Amino acid sequence: MRGWMLALPLLLASTAAVAAPKSVVSLNEGWTVRIDPADAAAAKAHPREAKWLPARVPGTVQQDLIAARRVPDPFKGLNEAAIQWVGRTGWQYVRTLEVSADMAARDHLDLVFEGLDTFATVSVNGQAVLKADNAHRTWRVDAKPWLKPGRNTITIRFAPPIATLQPRVLAEANPLPGEYDSFFGDEPKGKQTSPYIRKAKYHYGWDWGPRILNVGPSGPVKLEAWDDARVAQFRVNQIALNDAEARLAADFEVVADTAGPATVRASLTGPNGAAVNAEQVVTLAPGTNRISVPLTIANPQRWQPVGYGAQALYRVTGTLVENGQASDSAQRRIGLRTVELIRKDGSFGFKVNGTPIFAKGANLIPFDSFPSRVTAEGMRRMLADAKAVNMNMIRIWGGGYYLPDAFFDAADELGLMIWSDFMFGGSVTPPDKEFRESVRIEAEEQVARVSGHPSIVLWAGGNEVLAGWENWSDRKAFKKRVGPDEQERIGAGMAVLFDRVLRQAVRDFDPGVPYWPGSPSTDYEGPVDTDADGDRHFWDVWSGSKPVERYLDSCPRFMSEYGFQGTPDLSTIKDFAGTLDLTFDSPVMKAHQKFLAGEGNARLMHYIRERLGEPKNFADFAYLAQVNQAQAIAMAALHHRACRPVTMGSLYWQLNDVWPVVSWSSIDYNGQWKLLHHEAKRFFAPQAIVAERKDAATRIALVSDATTPIAARWRVRGFGLDGRMLGERTGDATLAPLSAAEAAVVPDADLFAGAAPEASYGVAELLVGDQVVSRRIVERVQPKAIAWPDPGLSIRWQGREVTITATNLARAVMLDFGAVAAQPSDDGFDLLPGESRTLTVASDASPATLKKALTLRTLGNRK
């Protein structure tokens, strides 16, 4: 499947005596699109779409048709099915290009496509000049031989991905195992084309996202005009770092037509404005020239993850000078830090600048089904929301697309560590050399593009490819069917891809960052996806229907995936469903629930009934689903933290959504925080108390992420439901740096004075000075068995501030604004008898509307 360029005629000689600076012209505007006339059946079935309509670039055909009201919005109602034909159709884009006499005189006129999704043929004035077959690459062709002064026509023809690959797949007796079968009949079950294409895997549908096979120019299009030479790549590598100095290499890749002298300059500006400059005089040879310019920084400032120091950043400019004139330049912003992957006797964790850091965070899926409408501001807002709840790491999941520089810029500035998968989402990869060669180019390009971002602390080969090959039943059945020889050929091909090709790309283009062959993995040192070694994906809870208490059974080395679903905000449900007059199994709710082909809401109900009781109505169902999600993930995350240093990371599934859906996210598609996201601020707090139940006792553990000791005090008290204190245990503690330690195991007899489990509860708290920095409610039985008292809540509004006061225990207080989108500053919290909490509410709605819309929900006054 290697992409190829058609043979180019001899380049025309430039008439310019001296090379002029490279110029870049955006070609994003002025495109139109229609069904490719070659797809006669589609043109006949959709005659209006066989005529030209305006196209957005970067973008997709689907977006253009939605904008033109030719297809309904697939995010609304039951509309997903109505857009399926678009991804199965061939499409043709066209625009004109005016080439001036001066432009025509340049030595090179490169058409650059920063994303073509996926099988595309580019023509200039009717002449095919480029064929592309990898949506994760940038494609470049020197179009000067076919461009003429004046008006020119650029055409891109996109072939439908399924139709392109399906003949090959259907001809195979045993097609490669993929991810999720289509719900729409365009591919037979078990015969998926997705393993054979370099395209975002989630486009084919996932258990949290729709099936929308995007087609179109997914990245910017531009024309680059240059003469003798250009800077093809500019990176800054950190060679050595200590407190006295940092030694860097500004690495240039310069493409030149002919031999000749040139100067390359590197200019670095530090956080304090101090500058370091260096240059090197070279003789360029025809072809690709690799040049390294040393830079030395005295008293360097390190980039630190959030919570461990400041985020110092440096800006570096690389300039190519020919005949005394700058002909091309590039810029980078970098940070200085060291990253070490902790690997000893099965351990897995991160040490940044010598500090072992417990990773607290979540998995990030693509921001949208249509990536081109994701803004830099939207990405930053999502990362800021992660930082706001004490996260320090985000894992970019491998079934999507490589994120733009703006994402990593925001992560650098916010101090968030980034684990970045290569874009492999679970399917078995083709073993042929052509596929690996295409991936090699893709990997080298993508790693080089974002190298130097200090936020990137790991490159991983992909998601569940190797673990699936080893452990999944369908893979085991496949291996049995194909026999040992074919099994060995496919397995060896994956080993070459993930252990050599991708690892070498990281070594060559981002050498300061560790590489990990996949997630979960043990780096080929033993069985994968176990508690004993490497990172873990744990799905016995939720996917396996096991009780949430199973999270407490073991201490994994690093939990990189675990999750529990919750509904989106009611305002988001109203937005996609058009009403809140619903049940959990309404057709529209099942359409926006992808787990178990739409039956995942029954799994939600299973867990709600198991832990919290029967919902009284749809709003109560949504409330209980969010409470369950928050409590389950809190239980797991706090257990992981209490397992430190055996466990060194807890990344729940998942942070965000690609569309409005019932899913594992903590922030829904409309940006509304679920109760889980608010709860994350508590269970990821820098200092936390952990209270776990076992054998009629409460185990208390204390956790601190600080690098210095902290004097603290802990207490756990037992209460009757009438608010009477039944017993108490307290203790002084010094929280050691970067630690978790058991403080006590408190028998029920010390706390509850013989009270029945369903008539009592405990409160565990960690105090620093006089401030309670962490609190957990202790339940001796499932919450549904407790006759929670009416909390006796009162509300006082002052503008957009609301103060809530409880007379009795208020468990899991939720501010429910119904169909009105509103974001309180805290939610899902507990109030002890007599406590008050003052919150601010962010919303486009007026204070009067908010006051009218608000319903307070707790486990003690469900409505």
Side-chain angles (χ1 to χ4, degrees):
M1 296 200 333
R2 178 166 46 183
W4 52 273
M5 292 186 186
L6 302 179
L8 301 180
L10 294 176
L11 298 177
L12 300 177
S14 171
T15 59
V18 178
K22 183 181 76 176
S23 65
V24 180
V25 179
S26 172
L27 301 183
N28 288 344
E29 304 299 325
W31 292 90
T32 56
V33 66
R34 68 177 179 182
I35 293 175
D36 190 337
D39 194 341
K44 182 178 180 181
H46 304 278
R48 292 180 66 205
E49 289 70 39
K51 300 176 181 178
W52 295 109
L53 67 148
R56 175 182 173 179
V57 175
T60 65
V61 175
Q62 286 88 343
Q63 290 169 264
D64 298 328
L65 294 175
I66 294 168
R69 300 182 183 275
R70 303 291 181 85
V71 295
D73 184 343
F75 286 15
K76 304 288 188 182
L78 305 176
N79 292 339
E80 180 188 356
I83 204 169
Q84 295 305 308
W85 68 272
V86 181
R88 305 172 191 163
T89 299
W91 295 92
Q92 183 184 63
Y93 282 75
V94 70
R95 68 153 286 164
T96 59
L97 171 63
E98 291 290 334
V99 176
S100 67
D102 288 343
M103 185 180 294
R106 302 299 296 268
D107 287 356
H108 298 271
L109 295 175
D110 289 359
L111 286 173
V112 181
F113 303 88
E114 295 184 11
L116 291 170
D117 195 357
T118 297
F119 295 115
T121 301
V122 178
S123 299
V124 176
N125 295 325
Q127 174 65 52
V129 300
L130 169 69
K131 283 195 173 182
D133 62 2
N134 186 328
H136 299 304
R137 283 183 52 186
T138 291
W139 297 89
R140 176 187 293 269
V141 61
D142 188 349
K144 181 179 172 67
W146 300 282
L147 289 171
K148 61 183 186 295
R151 187 181 180 89
N152 297 264
T153 301
I154 312 297
T155 305
I156 314 172
R157 280 190 163 90
F158 287 95
I162 292 176
T164 300
L165 292 170
Q166 202 162 55
R168 170 186 175 181
V169 174
L170 295 180
E172 294 192 10
N174 295 292
L176 295 174
E179 288 98 0
Y180 292 91
D181 285 321
S182 174
F183 301 140
F184 299 104
D186 48 359
E187 293 183 295
K189 291 188 181 301
K191 294 181 178 292
Q192 301 169 15
T193 56
S194 63
Y196 300 86
I197 191 173
R198 291 309 296 144
K199 173 181 176 63
K201 299 303 182 185
Y202 81 105
H203 288 175
Y204 291 82
W206 217 265
D207 58 3
W208 36 254
R211 183 177 175 92
I212 301 178
L213 289 170
N214 286 354
V215 175
S218 53
V221 181
K222 57 190 176 182
L223 179 70
E224 292 187 359
W226 56 284
D227 294 321
D228 296 337
R230 66 178 176 89
V231 177
Q233 189 184 104
F234 176 63
R235 297 179 296 113
V236 181
N237 282 324
Q238 179 182 293
I239 307 302
L241 175 65
N242 57 48
D243 291 340
E245 70 172 17
R247 288 188 287 116
L248 311 177
D251 292 336
F252 294 76
E253 187 175 286
V254 177
V255 175
D257 286 343
T258 58
T263 300
V264 289
R265 293 174 180 163
S267 303
L268 178 146
T269 304
N272 59 1
V276 176
N277 300 294
E279 67 177 44
Q280 192 169 320
V281 177
V282 298
T283 299
L284 298 176
T288 299
N289 299 262
R290 293 179 173 85
I291 307 153
S292 187
V293 178
L295 290 167
T296 300
I297 305 171
N299 303 314
Q301 299 181 50
R302 295 181 187 236
W303 179 93
Q304 296 282 6
V306 59
Y308 295 88
Q311 288 73 53
L313 297 168
Y314 292 77
R315 188 166 294 280
V316 189
T317 300
T319 306
L320 172 66
V321 179
E322 301 176 86
N323 299 316
Q325 182 178 6
S327 60
D328 200 2
S329 65
Q331 281 197 341
R332 289 277 186 169
R333 196 179 65 175
I334 66 166
L336 308 176
R337 51 90 181 99
T338 60
V339 181
E340 177 186 346
L341 196 59
I342 303 170
R343 291 290 288 150
K344 182 180 180 182
D345 300 326
S347 64
F348 182 91
F350 295 88
K351 187 180 287 187
V352 180
N353 296 321
T355 302
I357 297 175
F358 189 98
K360 304 179 298 185
N363 289 262
L364 183 85
I365 64 172
F367 287 92
D368 200 293
S369 292
F370 305 115
S372 63
R373 66 185 185 188
V374 178
T375 65
E377 294 76 18
M379 292 186 291
R380 171 178 283 276
R381 185 164 54 251
M382 184 66 67
L383 291 178
D385 284 350
K387 178 179 177 178
V389 297
N390 297 309
M391 293 187 188
N392 59 26
M393 177 174 279
I394 298 295
R395 174 188 171 225
I396 302 172
W397 170 78
Y401 52 89
Y402 296 96
L403 293 177
D405 296 82
F407 173 87
F408 298 99
D409 286 340
D412 292 344
E413 294 163 11
L414 293 168
L416 291 170
M417 298 180 289
I418 300 298
W419 164 327
S420 184
D421 281 2
F422 285 96
M423 291 301 114
F424 292 89
S427 62
V428 175
T429 54
D432 53 279
K433 292 181 181 179
E434 291 78 12
F435 181 87
R436 289 198 297 273
E437 176 63 11
S438 179
V439 172
R440 179 192 66 79
I441 297 169
E442 163 197 322
E444 291 180 354
E445 176 184 302
Q446 295 292 349
V447 174
R449 177 179 64 87
V450 298
S451 67
H453 282 285
S455 55
I456 300 175
V457 298
L458 187 74
W459 284 99
N463 178 76
E464 297 181 349
V465 179
L466 303 178
W469 182 248
E470 183 174 313
N471 296 327
W472 293 358
S473 60
D474 68 324
R475 271 57 168 168
K476 291 179 180 180
F478 172 81
K479 288 186 279 189
K480 185 177 180 179
R481 287 197 306 272
V482 300
D485 291 345
E486 183 67 2
Q487 175 183 333
E488 174 63 22
R489 187 175 80 92
I490 294 171
M494 286 194 290
V496 171
L497 178 64
F498 293 105
D499 193 31
R500 298 182 190 175
V501 173
L502 298 181
R503 192 186 300 273
Q504 195 61 47
V506 176
R507 285 174 176 167
D508 290 345
F509 295 95
D510 205 4
V513 177
Y515 173 76
W516 193 240
S519 183
S521 174
T522 58
D523 204 7
Y524 299 97
E525 294 179 1
V528 302
D529 205 12
T530 71
D531 288 330
D533 193 358
D535 69 311
R536 189 87 220 264
H537 290 190
F538 183 80
W539 286 103
D540 286 5
V541 177
W542 184 262
S543 294
S545 298
K546 302 299 184 183
V548 297
E549 289 76 16
R550 287 289 293 272
Y551 284 133
L552 308 179
D553 286 352
S554 62
C555 292
R557 298 297 189 157
F558 191 107
M559 190 65 87
S560 50
E561 266 195 36
Y562 63 101
F564 200 95
Q565 279 199 358
T567 61
D569 191 74
L570 286 177
S571 66
T572 301
I573 294 175
K574 173 66 162 57
D575 189 45
F576 74 71
T579 180
L580 289 177
D581 184 16
L582 299 164
T583 62
F584 78 92
D585 57 356
S586 293
V588 71
M589 290 301 296
K590 294 177 72 171
H592 288 255
Q593 162 65 273
K594 292 301 183 180
F595 180 68
L596 294 181
E599 297 301 326
N601 291 333
R603 186 66 50 86
L604 274 176
M605 284 295 291
H606 162 75
Y607 276 110
I608 289 171
R609 287 166 174 157
E610 183 178 75
R611 296 193 69 249
L612 300 176
E614 188 70 24
K616 297 180 182 299
N617 50 47
F618 183 76
D620 192 40
F621 161 75
Y623 165 67
L624 293 179
Q626 287 206 25
V627 170
N628 230 9
Q629 180 188 33
Q631 292 183 352
I633 298 302
M635 181 184 296
L638 286 166
H639 179 70
H640 300 154
R641 297 187 70 191
C643 286
R644 182 177 184 160
V646 173
T647 304
M648 285 300 292
S650 182
L651 309 180
Y652 67 74
W653 186 269
Q654 65 211 55
L655 180 63
N656 62 313
D657 282 324
V658 300
W659 77 316
V661 65
V662 181
S663 81
W664 298 265
S665 70
S666 61
I667 301 176
D668 74 23
Y669 178 76
N670 285 4
Q672 294 290 117
W673 289 20
K674 299 182 185 179
L675 296 189
L676 169 58
H677 206 72
H678 290 281
E679 186 65 21
K681 189 171 186 177
R682 293 182 275 272
F683 62 67
F684 281 152
Q687 286 74 48
I689 191 167
V690 183
E692 296 180 349
R693 295 286 302 163
K694 187 177 182 179
D695 299 331
T698 302
R699 174 180 177 263
I700 300 297
L702 307 178
V703 178
S704 178
D705 293 332
T707 57
T708 56
I710 295 176
R713 183 166 58 94
W714 63 269
R715 70 186 179 201
V716 57
R717 295 174 288 169
F719 291 91
L721 293 182
D722 60 2
R724 283 186 308 114
M725 190 170 77
L726 305 175
E728 181 179 20
R729 281 280 300 275
T730 66
D732 294 326
T734 298
L735 306 181
L738 307 169
S739 71
E742 183 177 290
V745 177
V746 184
D748 284 357
D750 290 359
L751 292 180
F752 299 109
E758 63 272 14
S760 58
Y761 64 92
V763 180
E765 294 174 314
L766 177 65
L767 297 91
V768 176
D770 294 328
Q771 182 181 1
V772 176
V773 298
S774 180
R775 173 192 286 169
R776 306 309 304 176
I777 299 296
V778 179
E779 295 156 336
R780 303 164 65 193
V781 291
Q782 294 289 8
K784 70 179 181 181
I786 301 174
W788 299 106
D790 187 310
L793 297 177
S794 61
I795 308 172
R796 185 177 71 255
W797 282 91
Q798 186 171 357
R800 294 187 179 275
E801 279 192 351
V802 58
T803 299
I804 303 168
T805 303
T807 303
N808 300 308
L809 173 69
R811 185 75 167 108
V813 179
M814 179 185 191
L815 285 75
D816 180 359
F817 293 94
V820 178
Q823 191 69 73
S825 55
D826 196 4
D827 214 355
F829 50 85
D830 302 310
L831 290 177
L832 298 185
E835 281 191 336
S836 296
R837 182 75 58 89
T838 298
L839 311 168
T840 58
V841 182
S843 177
D844 291 337
S846 69
T849 299
L850 293 173
K851 183 176 180 179
K852 183 179 180 180
L854 176 61
T855 297
L856 286 182
R857 300 188 184 277
T858 79
L859 293 183
N861 70 338
R862 289 166 46 208
K863 300 175 181 179

